[in-house]
Amino acid sequence: MTSIPLIEARGLRKHFERPRRFLAKAAAPLRAVDGIDLQIAAGETLGLVGESGCGKSTTGRLLLRLIEPSGGTILHHGEDITRLGVAAMRSKRRAMQIVFQDPYGSLNPRMRVDDIITEPLVIHSVGDARSRAARVRKLLELVSLPTSALQRYPHEFSGGQRQRIGIARALALEPEFIVADEAVSALDVSVQAQVINLLRELQRDLKLTYLFISHNLAVVRNISDRVAVMYLGRIVEVAPAAQLFARPLHPYTQTLLAALPADHPSQRKTHVAIRGDIPNPNAIGIGCRFASRCLHAQPRCQTEDPCLTPSGPGHQVACLRVADGSLPA
């Protein structure tokens, strides 16, 4: 990328300290996110995929500073927001919002829709009562909900409608960057498609930038411009979506994509074997984190920790054998 990214992470880490048992040695921290680099350009959608527990949601929350990083930097328009104080960060939050996974748990059941969407405007002292009311009605129109929804409670809506309310709340402060954290995973397939189409329309009309976190590869392929693949706290591959799905390079990415069903019953898919279980995230050693499950691993993979290296236009992969050409795609 030649221009300054809208959002950038450099060496971002989040290590969670674990409770110490009585008379036991202090346990090593859980390295949920362990030194990742990400760039998200203005107006694009970056998909972030990986198995459950790999650190996807933690990454999204770190980028918004909903949780504090253990190390590294987070840049917004080139400004390091990890150095901002409480007041400055509060102002910055207007530009960065999140849509949560669970539309049932992310909305206060004791608040009407009107109050739920108005709350961010009140917290940030945006406008007066009349302008806020007009803004809320406009937001409901944007997410295709009737104004009659304003006086109803979350339990009166379907899951898809609740997620639309969550999206309206995220848009209240006119952000430019939204983290969609498994935003459609709790919805039926037909409703997923409706919400995905809504997110696309909003991105086009409002010039939004998304980090779209999901374990559903089909959905990610459908909405993303680029895709980053995460494994045990590290980014192992980043590429344009079409390129990644057509020519995955990292053995872990190849395994993930091989699990996707074929587009048509007449098509045959190549099975990509994988061995063992996910290593214990509490005891990550040196070397490649995928080495214990990779059929192509060599002795050096157990001792050398690969970093993301270019492997074609816009394509980066963290694999020693891909980097030296001994493991062609």
Side-chain angles (χ1 to χ4, degrees), residues 82-147:
T82 59
R83 299 178 180 273
L84 297 181
V86 175
M89 192 61 216
R90 180 188 179 94
S91 177
K92 183 70 72 173
R93 290 193 194 284
R94 293 182 58 173
M96 302 184 293
Q97 294 292 313
I98 185 169
V99 177
F100 294 99
Q101 173 180 0
D102 183 10
Y104 298 91
S106 61
L107 303 177
N108 190 329
R110 296 177 176 85
M111 294 175 66
R112 292 185 175 92
V113 170
D114 188 9
D115 299 320
I116 289 172
I117 302 177
T118 303
E119 187 177 31
L121 301 172
V122 174
I123 290 173
H124 288 270
S125 302
V126 177
D128 55 18
R130 179 176 294 180
S131 64
R132 290 169 188 163
R135 174 68 179 158
V136 170
R137 288 193 296 271
K138 177 63 175 177
L139 288 167
L140 281 183
E141 181 184 337
L142 282 174
V143 299
S144 302
L145 287 176
T147 54

Short mmCIF file of all heavy atoms in Angstrom, two decimals, residues 82-147:
data_model
loop_
_atom_site.label_atom_id
_atom_site.label_comp_id
_atom_site.label_asym_id
_atom_site.label_seq_id
_atom_site.Cartn_x
_atom_site.Cartn_y
_atom_site.Cartn_z
N THR A 82 -2.33 4.06 20.79
CA THR A 82 -1.98 3.42 22.06
C THR A 82 -1.39 4.43 23.05
O THR A 82 -1.31 4.15 24.24
CB THR A 82 -0.96 2.28 21.85
OG1 THR A 82 0.22 2.81 21.23
CG2 THR A 82 -1.55 1.20 20.96
N ARG A 83 -1.00 5.59 22.57
CA ARG A 83 -0.42 6.62 23.43
C ARG A 83 -1.45 7.66 23.87
O ARG A 83 -1.12 8.57 24.64
CB ARG A 83 0.73 7.34 22.71
CG ARG A 83 1.88 6.41 22.33
CD ARG A 83 2.97 7.17 21.57
NE ARG A 83 4.07 6.30 21.21
CZ ARG A 83 5.11 6.04 22.00
NH1 ARG A 83 5.18 6.60 23.20
NH2 ARG A 83 6.07 5.24 21.59
N LEU A 84 -2.68 7.54 23.39
CA LEU A 84 -3.69 8.55 23.72
C LEU A 84 -4.21 8.36 25.13
O LEU A 84 -4.39 7.23 25.60
CB LEU A 84 -4.85 8.47 22.72
CG LEU A 84 -4.53 8.77 21.26
CD1 LEU A 84 -5.79 8.68 20.42
CD2 LEU A 84 -3.89 10.14 21.11
N GLY A 85 -4.49 9.48 25.79
CA GLY A 85 -5.11 9.44 27.10
C GLY A 85 -6.59 9.15 27.01
O GLY A 85 -7.15 8.99 25.92
N VAL A 86 -7.25 9.14 28.16
CA VAL A 86 -8.66 8.77 28.22
C VAL A 86 -9.53 9.73 27.41
O VAL A 86 -10.37 9.32 26.60
CB VAL A 86 -9.15 8.72 29.69
CG1 VAL A 86 -10.65 8.46 29.73
CG2 VAL A 86 -8.39 7.65 30.46
N ALA A 87 -9.31 11.03 27.58
CA ALA A 87 -10.14 12.02 26.89
C ALA A 87 -9.93 11.97 25.37
O ALA A 87 -10.89 12.01 24.60
CB ALA A 87 -9.84 13.42 27.41
N ALA A 88 -8.68 11.89 24.95
CA ALA A 88 -8.38 11.84 23.52
C ALA A 88 -8.91 10.55 22.89
O ALA A 88 -9.42 10.56 21.77
CB ALA A 88 -6.87 11.97 23.29
N MET A 89 -8.80 9.44 23.61
CA MET A 89 -9.29 8.17 23.08
C MET A 89 -10.81 8.17 23.02
O MET A 89 -11.41 7.59 22.10
CB MET A 89 -8.80 7.01 23.95
CG MET A 89 -9.03 5.64 23.31
SD MET A 89 -8.15 5.45 21.75
CE MET A 89 -9.31 4.47 20.81
N ARG A 90 -11.45 8.83 23.96
CA ARG A 90 -12.91 8.91 23.95
C ARG A 90 -13.39 9.62 22.68
O ARG A 90 -14.35 9.20 22.04
CB ARG A 90 -13.39 9.68 25.19
CG ARG A 90 -14.90 9.83 25.29
CD ARG A 90 -15.22 10.76 26.45
NE ARG A 90 -16.64 10.97 26.59
CZ ARG A 90 -17.43 10.27 27.39
NH1 ARG A 90 -16.92 9.29 28.12
NH2 ARG A 90 -18.72 10.54 27.48
N SER A 91 -12.69 10.69 22.30
CA SER A 91 -13.04 11.39 21.07
C SER A 91 -12.77 10.53 19.84
O SER A 91 -13.54 10.52 18.89
CB SER A 91 -12.25 12.70 20.99
OG SER A 91 -12.51 13.37 19.78
N LYS A 92 -11.67 9.79 19.89
CA LYS A 92 -11.30 8.93 18.75
C LYS A 92 -12.31 7.80 18.52
O LYS A 92 -12.51 7.36 17.38
CB LYS A 92 -9.90 8.34 19.00
CG LYS A 92 -9.34 7.49 17.88
CD LYS A 92 -8.97 8.31 16.67
CE LYS A 92 -7.74 9.15 16.90
NZ LYS A 92 -7.30 9.81 15.63
N ARG A 93 -12.98 7.37 19.58
CA ARG A 93 -13.91 6.25 19.47
C ARG A 93 -15.09 6.56 18.57
O ARG A 93 -15.76 5.64 18.07
CB ARG A 93 -14.42 5.84 20.85
CG ARG A 93 -13.36 5.19 21.72
CD ARG A 93 -13.96 4.52 22.94
NE ARG A 93 -12.94 4.18 23.92
CZ ARG A 93 -12.11 3.16 23.81
NH1 ARG A 93 -12.18 2.38 22.74
NH2 ARG A 93 -11.22 2.92 24.75
N ARG A 94 -15.37 7.83 18.35
CA ARG A 94 -16.46 8.17 17.44
C ARG A 94 -16.19 7.67 16.03
O ARG A 94 -17.14 7.40 15.27
CB ARG A 94 -16.67 9.69 17.42
CG ARG A 94 -17.19 10.27 18.72
CD ARG A 94 -17.42 11.75 18.64
NE ARG A 94 -18.36 12.11 17.59
CZ ARG A 94 -18.84 13.33 17.40
NH1 ARG A 94 -18.47 14.31 18.21
NH2 ARG A 94 -19.69 13.59 16.42
N ALA A 95 -14.94 7.55 15.67
CA ALA A 95 -14.58 7.12 14.31
C ALA A 95 -14.46 5.61 14.19
O ALA A 95 -14.32 5.09 13.07
CB ALA A 95 -13.26 7.77 13.89
N MET A 96 -14.53 4.87 15.30
CA MET A 96 -14.30 3.43 15.28
C MET A 96 -15.34 2.74 16.15
O MET A 96 -15.42 3.01 17.35
CB MET A 96 -12.89 3.11 15.79
CG MET A 96 -11.78 3.78 14.99
SD MET A 96 -10.13 3.30 15.54
CE MET A 96 -10.09 4.04 17.18
N GLN A 97 -16.12 1.86 15.55
CA GLN A 97 -17.20 1.20 16.27
C GLN A 97 -17.17 -0.31 16.01
O GLN A 97 -16.38 -0.80 15.20
CB GLN A 97 -18.55 1.78 15.84
CG GLN A 97 -18.76 3.23 16.23
CD GLN A 97 -18.89 3.41 17.73
OE1 GLN A 97 -19.62 2.68 18.39
NE2 GLN A 97 -18.17 4.38 18.28
N ILE A 98 -18.04 -1.03 16.73
CA ILE A 98 -18.07 -2.50 16.62
C ILE A 98 -19.51 -2.99 16.54
O ILE A 98 -20.41 -2.42 17.15
CB ILE A 98 -17.33 -3.14 17.82
CG1 ILE A 98 -17.23 -4.66 17.66
CG2 ILE A 98 -18.01 -2.78 19.14
CD1 ILE A 98 -16.29 -5.33 18.65
N VAL A 99 -19.70 -4.05 15.77
CA VAL A 99 -20.96 -4.79 15.73
C VAL A 99 -20.65 -6.17 16.31
O VAL A 99 -19.81 -6.90 15.78
CB VAL A 99 -21.51 -4.93 14.30
CG1 VAL A 99 -22.78 -5.78 14.30
CG2 VAL A 99 -21.78 -3.56 13.70
N PHE A 100 -21.33 -6.51 17.39
CA PHE A 100 -21.01 -7.74 18.11
C PHE A 100 -21.70 -8.95 17.49
O PHE A 100 -22.63 -8.84 16.70
CB PHE A 100 -21.43 -7.61 19.58
CG PHE A 100 -20.64 -6.60 20.34
CD1 PHE A 100 -21.15 -5.33 20.56
CD2 PHE A 100 -19.38 -6.90 20.84
CE1 PHE A 100 -20.44 -4.37 21.27
CE2 PHE A 100 -18.66 -5.95 21.54
CZ PHE A 100 -19.18 -4.69 21.75
N GLN A 101 -21.23 -10.12 17.92
CA GLN A 101 -21.71 -11.38 17.36
C GLN A 101 -23.16 -11.67 17.76
O GLN A 101 -23.97 -12.06 16.92
CB GLN A 101 -20.82 -12.53 17.83
CG GLN A 101 -21.35 -13.91 17.44
CD GLN A 101 -20.44 -15.03 17.91
OE1 GLN A 101 -19.40 -14.78 18.53
NE2 GLN A 101 -20.80 -16.25 17.62
N ASP A 102 -23.47 -11.50 19.02
CA ASP A 102 -24.75 -11.95 19.55
C ASP A 102 -25.76 -10.82 19.58
O ASP A 102 -25.69 -9.95 20.46
CB ASP A 102 -24.54 -12.51 20.96
CG ASP A 102 -25.83 -13.08 21.56
OD1 ASP A 102 -26.81 -13.19 20.81
OD2 ASP A 102 -25.83 -13.40 22.76
N PRO A 103 -26.72 -10.78 18.66
CA PRO A 103 -27.72 -9.70 18.70
C PRO A 103 -28.68 -9.83 19.87
O PRO A 103 -29.40 -8.89 20.18
CB PRO A 103 -28.45 -9.87 17.37
CG PRO A 103 -28.30 -11.32 17.02
CD PRO A 103 -26.96 -11.72 17.56
N TYR A 104 -28.65 -10.99 20.54
CA TYR A 104 -29.51 -11.17 21.70
C TYR A 104 -28.86 -10.59 22.96
O TYR A 104 -29.53 -10.06 23.83
CB TYR A 104 -29.79 -12.66 21.92
CG TYR A 104 -30.52 -13.31 20.78
CD1 TYR A 104 -29.82 -13.91 19.74
CD2 TYR A 104 -31.91 -13.33 20.72
CE1 TYR A 104 -30.48 -14.50 18.67
CE2 TYR A 104 -32.58 -13.92 19.66
CZ TYR A 104 -31.86 -14.50 18.65
OH TYR A 104 -32.51 -15.08 17.58
N GLY A 105 -27.54 -10.71 23.07
CA GLY A 105 -26.85 -10.27 24.27
C GLY A 105 -26.25 -8.88 24.19
O GLY A 105 -25.86 -8.31 25.21
N SER A 106 -26.13 -8.33 22.98
CA SER A 106 -25.45 -7.04 22.83
C SER A 106 -26.38 -5.84 22.99
O SER A 106 -25.92 -4.70 23.00
CB SER A 106 -24.77 -6.96 21.47
OG SER A 106 -25.71 -7.04 20.42
N LEU A 107 -27.70 -6.10 23.12
CA LEU A 107 -28.66 -5.02 23.30
C LEU A 107 -29.26 -5.11 24.71
O LEU A 107 -29.60 -6.19 25.17
CB LEU A 107 -29.78 -5.10 22.26
CG LEU A 107 -29.35 -5.08 20.80
CD1 LEU A 107 -30.57 -5.25 19.89
CD2 LEU A 107 -28.61 -3.80 20.46
N ASN A 108 -29.37 -3.97 25.37
CA ASN A 108 -29.94 -3.93 26.72
C ASN A 108 -31.43 -4.26 26.65
O ASN A 108 -32.21 -3.53 26.04
CB ASN A 108 -29.74 -2.53 27.32
CG ASN A 108 -30.08 -2.48 28.80
OD1 ASN A 108 -30.95 -3.22 29.27
ND2 ASN A 108 -29.40 -1.63 29.53
N PRO A 109 -31.85 -5.37 27.28
CA PRO A 109 -33.26 -5.77 27.17
C PRO A 109 -34.23 -4.82 27.87
O PRO A 109 -35.44 -4.89 27.63
CB PRO A 109 -33.27 -7.15 27.84
CG PRO A 109 -32.12 -7.14 28.79
CD PRO A 109 -31.07 -6.29 28.13
N ARG A 110 -33.70 -3.93 28.71
CA ARG A 110 -34.56 -3.00 29.46
C ARG A 110 -34.69 -1.64 28.78
O ARG A 110 -35.35 -0.74 29.30
CB ARG A 110 -34.04 -2.82 30.88
CG ARG A 110 -34.08 -4.08 31.72
CD ARG A 110 -33.48 -3.85 33.10
NE ARG A 110 -33.61 -5.04 33.93
CZ ARG A 110 -32.75 -6.05 33.92
NH1 ARG A 110 -31.70 -5.99 33.11
NH2 ARG A 110 -32.91 -7.09 34.69
N MET A 111 -34.04 -1.49 27.63
CA MET A 111 -34.09 -0.22 26.91
C MET A 111 -34.86 -0.37 25.61
O MET A 111 -34.74 -1.38 24.92
CB MET A 111 -32.67 0.28 26.61
CG MET A 111 -31.86 0.65 27.85
SD MET A 111 -30.14 1.10 27.44
CE MET A 111 -30.40 2.62 26.53
N ARG A 112 -35.64 0.64 25.27
CA ARG A 112 -36.31 0.68 23.98
C ARG A 112 -35.30 0.97 22.89
O ARG A 112 -34.22 1.51 23.13
CB ARG A 112 -37.42 1.73 23.98
CG ARG A 112 -38.61 1.41 24.89
CD ARG A 112 -39.69 2.46 24.72
NE ARG A 112 -40.89 2.13 25.48
CZ ARG A 112 -41.12 2.52 26.73
NH1 ARG A 112 -40.22 3.29 27.35
NH2 ARG A 112 -42.23 2.18 27.36
N VAL A 113 -35.67 0.63 21.67
CA VAL A 113 -34.78 0.84 20.52
C VAL A 113 -34.37 2.31 20.41
O VAL A 113 -33.21 2.63 20.13
CB VAL A 113 -35.45 0.35 19.23
CG1 VAL A 113 -34.66 0.78 18.00
CG2 VAL A 113 -35.61 -1.16 19.25
N ASP A 114 -35.29 3.20 20.64
CA ASP A 114 -35.01 4.63 20.59
C ASP A 114 -33.86 4.98 21.52
O ASP A 114 -32.90 5.68 21.14
CB ASP A 114 -36.27 5.41 20.98
CG ASP A 114 -36.12 6.91 20.75
OD1 ASP A 114 -35.11 7.32 20.14
OD2 ASP A 114 -37.00 7.66 21.19
N ASP A 115 -33.90 4.48 22.76
CA ASP A 115 -32.85 4.78 23.74
C ASP A 115 -31.54 4.09 23.40
O ASP A 115 -30.46 4.65 23.62
CB ASP A 115 -33.32 4.37 25.14
CG ASP A 115 -34.56 5.11 25.58
OD1 ASP A 115 -34.65 6.31 25.30
OD2 ASP A 115 -35.46 4.48 26.19
N ILE A 116 -31.63 2.88 22.86
CA ILE A 116 -30.41 2.13 22.51
C ILE A 116 -29.60 2.88 21.45
O ILE A 116 -28.37 3.02 21.56
CB ILE A 116 -30.79 0.73 22.01
CG1 ILE A 116 -31.29 -0.14 23.17
CG2 ILE A 116 -29.59 0.06 21.32
CD1 ILE A 116 -31.85 -1.48 22.74
N ILE A 117 -30.28 3.37 20.42
CA ILE A 117 -29.57 4.04 19.33
C ILE A 117 -29.18 5.46 19.72
O ILE A 117 -28.15 5.98 19.27
CB ILE A 117 -30.43 4.03 18.05
CG1 ILE A 117 -30.78 2.58 17.66
CG2 ILE A 117 -29.71 4.72 16.90
CD1 ILE A 117 -31.69 2.49 16.46
N THR A 118 -29.98 6.09 20.58
CA THR A 118 -29.69 7.46 20.99
C THR A 118 -28.53 7.53 21.98
O THR A 118 -27.82 8.54 22.05
CB THR A 118 -30.95 8.11 21.61
OG1 THR A 118 -32.01 8.05 20.68
CG2 THR A 118 -30.70 9.55 21.99
N GLU A 119 -28.32 6.46 22.72
CA GLU A 119 -27.33 6.48 23.81
C GLU A 119 -25.94 6.95 23.38
O GLU A 119 -25.33 7.80 24.05
CB GLU A 119 -27.24 5.10 24.45
CG GLU A 119 -26.36 5.07 25.69
CD GLU A 119 -26.35 3.70 26.35
OE1 GLU A 119 -26.48 2.69 25.63
OE2 GLU A 119 -26.17 3.65 27.58
N PRO A 120 -25.36 6.46 22.26
CA PRO A 120 -24.04 6.97 21.85
C PRO A 120 -24.04 8.47 21.59
O PRO A 120 -23.05 9.15 21.88
CB PRO A 120 -23.73 6.18 20.57
CG PRO A 120 -24.60 4.98 20.63
CD PRO A 120 -25.84 5.40 21.35
N LEU A 121 -25.13 8.99 21.04
CA LEU A 121 -25.22 10.43 20.77
C LEU A 121 -25.24 11.23 22.07
O LEU A 121 -24.62 12.30 22.16
CB LEU A 121 -26.49 10.72 19.96
CG LEU A 121 -26.60 10.02 18.61
CD1 LEU A 121 -27.98 10.25 18.00
CD2 LEU A 121 -25.51 10.48 17.66
N VAL A 122 -25.92 10.70 23.08
CA VAL A 122 -25.96 11.37 24.38
C VAL A 122 -24.60 11.32 25.06
O VAL A 122 -24.11 12.33 25.59
CB VAL A 122 -27.03 10.72 25.28
CG1 VAL A 122 -26.98 11.30 26.69
CG2 VAL A 122 -28.42 10.89 24.68
N ILE A 123 -23.95 10.16 25.02
CA ILE A 123 -22.65 10.00 25.68
C ILE A 123 -21.63 10.96 25.09
O ILE A 123 -20.82 11.55 25.82
CB ILE A 123 -22.16 8.54 25.54
CG1 ILE A 123 -23.03 7.62 26.40
CG2 ILE A 123 -20.69 8.41 25.93
CD1 ILE A 123 -22.74 6.14 26.21
N HIS A 124 -21.67 11.16 23.77
CA HIS A 124 -20.69 12.03 23.11
C HIS A 124 -21.22 13.44 22.89
O HIS A 124 -20.59 14.23 22.16
CB HIS A 124 -20.25 11.41 21.79
CG HIS A 124 -19.37 10.20 21.95
ND1 HIS A 124 -18.01 10.27 22.02
CD2 HIS A 124 -19.69 8.89 22.09
CE1 HIS A 124 -17.49 9.06 22.16
NE2 HIS A 124 -18.50 8.20 22.21
N SER A 125 -22.36 13.75 23.51
CA SER A 125 -22.93 15.11 23.46
C SER A 125 -23.10 15.60 22.02
O SER A 125 -22.72 16.73 21.67
CB SER A 125 -22.04 16.08 24.25
OG SER A 125 -21.91 15.66 25.59
N VAL A 126 -23.68 14.77 21.20
CA VAL A 126 -23.90 15.11 19.79
C VAL A 126 -25.32 15.66 19.63
O VAL A 126 -26.30 14.96 19.87
CB VAL A 126 -23.71 13.88 18.88
CG1 VAL A 126 -24.03 14.24 17.43
CG2 VAL A 126 -22.30 13.33 19.01
N GLY A 127 -25.43 16.93 19.22
CA GLY A 127 -26.72 17.53 18.91
C GLY A 127 -27.62 17.74 20.12
O GLY A 127 -27.24 17.51 21.27
N ASP A 128 -28.84 18.17 19.83
CA ASP A 128 -29.85 18.33 20.88
C ASP A 128 -30.90 17.24 20.70
O ASP A 128 -30.79 16.37 19.84
CB ASP A 128 -30.48 19.73 20.81
CG ASP A 128 -31.05 20.05 19.42
OD1 ASP A 128 -31.27 19.09 18.64
OD2 ASP A 128 -31.28 21.23 19.11
N ALA A 129 -31.94 17.28 21.53
CA ALA A 129 -32.95 16.21 21.52
C ALA A 129 -33.61 16.08 20.16
O ALA A 129 -33.85 14.97 19.68
CB ALA A 129 -33.99 16.49 22.60
N ARG A 130 -33.91 17.21 19.51
CA ARG A 130 -34.60 17.17 18.22
C ARG A 130 -33.70 16.56 17.13
O ARG A 130 -34.15 15.71 16.36
CB ARG A 130 -35.05 18.57 17.82
CG ARG A 130 -35.74 18.62 16.46
CD ARG A 130 -36.26 20.02 16.14
NE ARG A 130 -37.32 20.41 17.08
CZ ARG A 130 -37.94 21.57 17.02
NH1 ARG A 130 -37.62 22.46 16.09
NH2 ARG A 130 -38.90 21.85 17.89
N SER A 131 -32.46 17.01 17.07
CA SER A 131 -31.56 16.49 16.04
C SER A 131 -31.22 15.02 16.28
O SER A 131 -31.04 14.25 15.33
CB SER A 131 -30.28 17.33 15.99
OG SER A 131 -29.54 17.23 17.20
N ARG A 132 -31.15 14.63 17.56
CA ARG A 132 -30.91 13.22 17.85
C ARG A 132 -32.07 12.36 17.39
O ARG A 132 -31.87 11.28 16.81
CB ARG A 132 -30.68 13.03 19.36
CG ARG A 132 -29.37 13.60 19.88
CD ARG A 132 -29.36 13.60 21.39
NE ARG A 132 -28.21 14.32 21.92
CZ ARG A 132 -28.10 14.75 23.17
NH1 ARG A 132 -29.10 14.53 24.03
NH2 ARG A 132 -27.02 15.39 23.56
N ALA A 133 -33.28 12.82 17.64
CA ALA A 133 -34.45 12.06 17.21
C ALA A 133 -34.48 11.91 15.70
O ALA A 133 -34.80 10.84 15.17
CB ALA A 133 -35.72 12.75 17.71
N ALA A 134 -34.14 12.98 14.99
CA ALA A 134 -34.10 12.91 13.52
C ALA A 134 -33.01 11.95 13.06
O ALA A 134 -33.20 11.19 12.09
CB ALA A 134 -33.87 14.31 12.95
N ARG A 135 -31.87 11.97 13.74
CA ARG A 135 -30.77 11.08 13.40
C ARG A 135 -31.16 9.62 13.61
O ARG A 135 -30.86 8.76 12.78
CB ARG A 135 -29.55 11.43 14.26
CG ARG A 135 -28.35 10.49 14.12
CD ARG A 135 -27.72 10.59 12.77
NE ARG A 135 -26.56 9.71 12.66
CZ ARG A 135 -26.07 9.28 11.50
NH1 ARG A 135 -26.61 9.65 10.36
NH2 ARG A 135 -25.02 8.49 11.48
N VAL A 136 -31.85 9.33 14.70
CA VAL A 136 -32.26 7.95 14.98
C VAL A 136 -33.24 7.46 13.93
O VAL A 136 -33.15 6.32 13.45
CB VAL A 136 -32.87 7.85 16.40
CG1 VAL A 136 -33.52 6.49 16.61
CG2 VAL A 136 -31.79 8.09 17.46
N ARG A 137 -34.18 8.30 13.52
CA ARG A 137 -35.12 7.89 12.47
C ARG A 137 -34.40 7.62 11.15
O ARG A 137 -34.74 6.68 10.43
CB ARG A 137 -36.20 8.98 12.30
CG ARG A 137 -37.19 9.05 13.45
CD ARG A 137 -38.40 9.90 13.07
NE ARG A 137 -38.02 11.29 12.83
CZ ARG A 137 -37.99 12.23 13.77
NH1 ARG A 137 -38.31 11.92 15.04
NH2 ARG A 137 -37.66 13.47 13.49
N LYS A 138 -33.41 8.45 10.85
CA LYS A 138 -32.63 8.24 9.63
C LYS A 138 -31.85 6.92 9.69
O LYS A 138 -31.76 6.19 8.68
CB LYS A 138 -31.66 9.41 9.44
CG LYS A 138 -30.72 9.28 8.25
CD LYS A 138 -31.49 9.25 6.93
CE LYS A 138 -30.54 9.25 5.75
NZ LYS A 138 -31.27 9.14 4.46
N LEU A 139 -31.32 6.59 10.86
CA LEU A 139 -30.56 5.35 11.02
C LEU A 139 -31.46 4.14 10.84
O LEU A 139 -31.06 3.15 10.22
CB LEU A 139 -29.89 5.32 12.39
CG LEU A 139 -28.70 6.27 12.57
CD1 LEU A 139 -28.31 6.39 14.04
CD2 LEU A 139 -27.51 5.80 11.75
N LEU A 140 -32.67 4.20 11.38
CA LEU A 140 -33.61 3.09 11.19
C LEU A 140 -33.93 2.90 9.70
O LEU A 140 -34.05 1.78 9.21
CB LEU A 140 -34.89 3.34 11.97
CG LEU A 140 -34.85 3.05 13.47
CD1 LEU A 140 -36.22 3.27 14.08
CD2 LEU A 140 -34.37 1.64 13.77
N GLU A 141 -34.05 4.01 9.00
CA GLU A 141 -34.29 3.93 7.56
C GLU A 141 -33.11 3.28 6.84
O GLU A 141 -33.30 2.48 5.92
CB GLU A 141 -34.53 5.34 7.02
CG GLU A 141 -34.83 5.40 5.52
CD GLU A 141 -34.97 6.82 5.02
OE1 GLU A 141 -35.29 7.71 5.84
OE2 GLU A 141 -34.76 7.05 3.82
N LEU A 142 -31.89 3.61 7.27
CA LEU A 142 -30.70 3.05 6.65
C LEU A 142 -30.64 1.53 6.79
O LEU A 142 -30.16 0.83 5.90
CB LEU A 142 -29.43 3.67 7.26
CG LEU A 142 -29.04 5.07 6.78
CD1 LEU A 142 -27.86 5.58 7.59
CD2 LEU A 142 -28.71 5.06 5.30
N VAL A 143 -31.10 1.02 7.94
CA VAL A 143 -31.03 -0.42 8.18
C VAL A 143 -32.36 -1.12 7.88
O VAL A 143 -32.57 -2.27 8.27
CB VAL A 143 -30.57 -0.73 9.63
CG1 VAL A 143 -29.18 -0.17 9.87
CG2 VAL A 143 -31.56 -0.20 10.65
N SER A 144 -33.27 -0.40 7.20
CA SER A 144 -34.54 -0.98 6.73
C SER A 144 -35.43 -1.48 7.86
O SER A 144 -35.98 -2.58 7.81
CB SER A 144 -34.26 -2.12 5.74
OG SER A 144 -33.51 -1.67 4.63
N LEU A 145 -35.56 -0.64 8.89
CA LEU A 145 -36.51 -0.92 9.96
C LEU A 145 -37.52 0.23 10.02
O LEU A 145 -37.16 1.39 9.81
CB LEU A 145 -35.80 -1.06 11.31
CG LEU A 145 -34.99 -2.34 11.55
CD1 LEU A 145 -34.28 -2.27 12.89
CD2 LEU A 145 -35.88 -3.57 11.48
N PRO A 146 -38.79 -0.05 10.34
CA PRO A 146 -39.80 1.01 10.41
C PRO A 146 -39.64 1.86 11.67
O PRO A 146 -39.10 1.40 12.69
CB PRO A 146 -41.12 0.22 10.45
CG PRO A 146 -40.75 -1.08 11.09
CD PRO A 146 -39.36 -1.39 10.61
N THR A 147 -40.11 3.09 11.61
CA THR A 147 -40.01 3.97 12.77
C THR A 147 -40.87 3.47 13.93
O THR A 147 -40.63 3.85 15.08
CB THR A 147 -40.46 5.40 12.41
OG1 THR A 147 -41.78 5.35 11.83
CG2 THR A 147 -39.50 6.03 11.40
#
